[in-house]
Amino acid sequence: MSDDNNTWEALGVHPKLSEACLALGWSKPTPIQEQAIPLGIEGRDVIGLAETGSGKTGAFAVPVIHRLLDKPRRLYAAVLAPTRELAFQILEVFQGLGAGLGLRAVGVVGGVDMVDQAVALAKYPHVVVATPGRLVDHLQNTKGFSLRSTQCLVMDEADRMLSMDFEKELDAILQSTNEDRLTMLFSATMTSKVQKLQRASLSNPKRVEVSDKYKAPAKLSQFYLFVPAKFKDCYLAEILSAHAGELALVFAATCSGATKLALALRRLDFSAVCLHGQMSQPKRLGALNKFKARHATVLVATDVAARGLDIPAVDLVVNYDIPNHLKEYIHRVGRTARAGKPGKAIAFVTQYDVELYQRLEHLIGRKLPACSVEENDALRWHERVTQAQRQATIDLRRL
C-alpha cells in the first residue's frame, strides 16, 4: 500500500472514527492494521500474528467500533485478554477511540469487586473487555448477564491465555456466544494450542501476519553484559545511573526478587516502583501510572509486564534475570523500540546463566554484542549497594 493510500479512510474506516484515530496520535495504520481492519469491517474472521508493539489492539478495536457505528447495539463485543494489565490497556484504547462517539466500554477483571462490575454490566455496555476467569464468574453468577447477543468476540494474546491454562474458561465463553459472531484471534506465536483454538472458534478465517516468529522490533539495539552474580546490583546501578532521566524497565524472575530489588534501588535514590502478580490490582495500577507519568523512572517487574503494557516512552529494558521460558525474552525486549522508536535492551549473564544464554542466542538466531561497562565504575557502587541490600531485606520483612 502506497503512502498516499496509507490512511484510515483508505481502509474504509468511518470518517468520525478516522478522526478519533488521529486524535489518539495514530497518524497512519501499522502493517497489521492495514491487513486486519478491512477484513474485520467486512465481517471476515481474522487470525492475526504480529510482533509485540505492532498495533494489534487498534487492528481489532477499529473494526469493532466501525461496525457499531454502522449499526449501534448493546453488548456488541467481548474482548478477552490474559492479564488484568492488558485488559485495562485495551479498555483504555476503546475508551479513547470511542470518547466522542458515545461508546460505552467496561472492564471485567479479577481483583475488583464483582458487585460493582455486575452493576456496570446491567447498564448494557457496547464492549466488555475481560479476563477469561472473571467473565466466566459473571456468566455463572450474575443474574441476567449473557453473551448470547454478542456479535463479535476478540481473543488477544491467545498463546498467553492458553499457556496460562484458560482452556476451560475459553470453551465456556465460546459456548455462551452467538455462533454467527465475528471472531478475531490475535497471537504473537502460532502454537499447536492456538491452532486448535482457531479450528474450534473461527469460521473460514483469513490469516494476516507481518513478522517472523521471533523477530524483535526493528529499531531495538540488543546487548549482553557478563556480570559476576554477586555484583549484579552494582552493574545495574551503574547502568541506570548512565541512563538517568530515561524510563527503564527491569525484569526480575520472582515476585519477592522484584520487590527487594525495587526497595534496594529506592535506597540508592533511584525512583523505582515494582509490578508483579502478587500485588493487589490498585497497587499494580498505581505503580504503572507512576511509571507512565514519569513520577518513577524505573519499573522492576516480573513477566506479568512482559506483554500488553503499551508504554511508548520506555528507553531501556534490562533483563536482570534471563527468563527460563526463553520466548518471554522477545516479549520483554518488545516493551521498548515501539511504534518505530529506537530502544535498548541489555541481558545480564552471570556465571550461572551461560548455558541458558547460549540457548537464547540460538533462539534469536544471532550473537549479541557486549555492553560496555567499566568494572571500576560498577564496583564504586559496592559499599552503597551492600548497605541498600541490607536495608531492603529489613524493608521486605515489614511489608
Side-chain angles (χ1 to χ4, degrees), residues 29-70:
T30 66
I32 189 69
Q33 291 166 352
E34 285 186 52
Q35 293 187 52
I37 288 172
L39 294 168
I41 287 175
E42 188 185 320
R44 285 287 303 273
D45 281 6
V46 172
I47 177 160
L49 300 176
E51 67 184 79
T52 185
S54 60
K56 282 186 289 182
T57 305
F60 58 76
V62 170
V64 165
I65 297 173
H66 172 96
R67 291 172 68 84
L68 261 169
L69 284 170
D70 271 356

Side-chain angles (χ1 to χ4, degrees), residues 280-300:
S280 68
Q281 193 60 31
K283 284 186 177 178
R284 288 198 212 184
L285 288 175
L288 193 55
N289 289 334
K290 273 186 183 178
F291 189 60
K292 279 185 172 182
R294 291 183 172 270
H295 296 146
T297 56
V298 181
L299 177 65
V300 185

Side-chain angles (χ1 to χ4, degrees), residues 168-181:
K168 285 184 180 177
E169 287 86 351
L170 290 174
D171 284 344
I173 291 164
L174 288 169
Q175 290 172 18
S176 302
T177 55
N178 182 348
E179 287 186 4
D180 297 329
R181 66 181 184 266

Side-chain angles (χ1 to χ4, degrees), residues 83-227:
T83 65
R84 302 169 190 179
E85 285 73 27
L86 181 54
F88 279 115
Q89 199 87 44
I90 293 168
L91 181 63
E92 281 183 6
V93 171
F94 273 100
Q95 290 173 336
L97 287 173
L101 305 174
L103 179 82
R104 296 191 310 279
V106 300
V108 173
V109 302
V112 179
D113 187 70
M114 271 193 73
V115 175
D116 291 342
Q117 291 175 349
V119 170
L121 291 172
K123 294 177 181 176
Y124 296 109
H126 299 108
V127 178
V128 175
V129 184
T131 48
R134 180 50 64 96
L135 189 60
V136 170
D137 286 345
H138 281 288
L139 286 170
Q140 294 173 344
N141 301 308
T142 299
K143 191 175 180 181
F145 176 63
S146 164
L147 294 176
R148 286 288 166 210
S149 66
T150 305
Q151 300 298 305
C152 181
L153 177 67
V154 178
M155 292 173 278
D156 194 19
E157 301 283 13
D159 52 342
R160 185 85 183 276
M161 282 196 282
L162 293 167
S163 72
M164 293 168 70
D165 293 328
F166 280 130
E167 286 182 73
K168 285 184 180 177
E169 287 86 351
L170 290 174
D171 284 344
I173 291 164
L174 288 169
Q175 290 172 18
S176 302
T177 55
N178 182 348
E179 287 186 4
D180 297 329
R181 66 181 184 266
L182 165 67
T183 308
M184 304 182 81
L185 185 153
F186 287 83
S187 181
T189 54
M190 176 54 86
T191 64
S192 56
K193 283 186 175 181
V194 173
Q195 287 178 325
K196 183 181 174 185
L197 178 62
Q198 173 193 336
R199 289 193 294 270
S201 60
L202 279 75
S203 173
N204 189 26
K206 180 73 175 175
R207 177 167 165 162
V208 296
E209 187 171 3
V210 298
S211 69
D212 297 331
K213 195 172 181 183
Y214 301 122
K215 186 178 176 184
K219 291 191 177 181
L220 174 66
S221 301
Q222 300 177 76
F223 300 90
Y224 81 91
L225 180 62
F226 189 75
V227 182

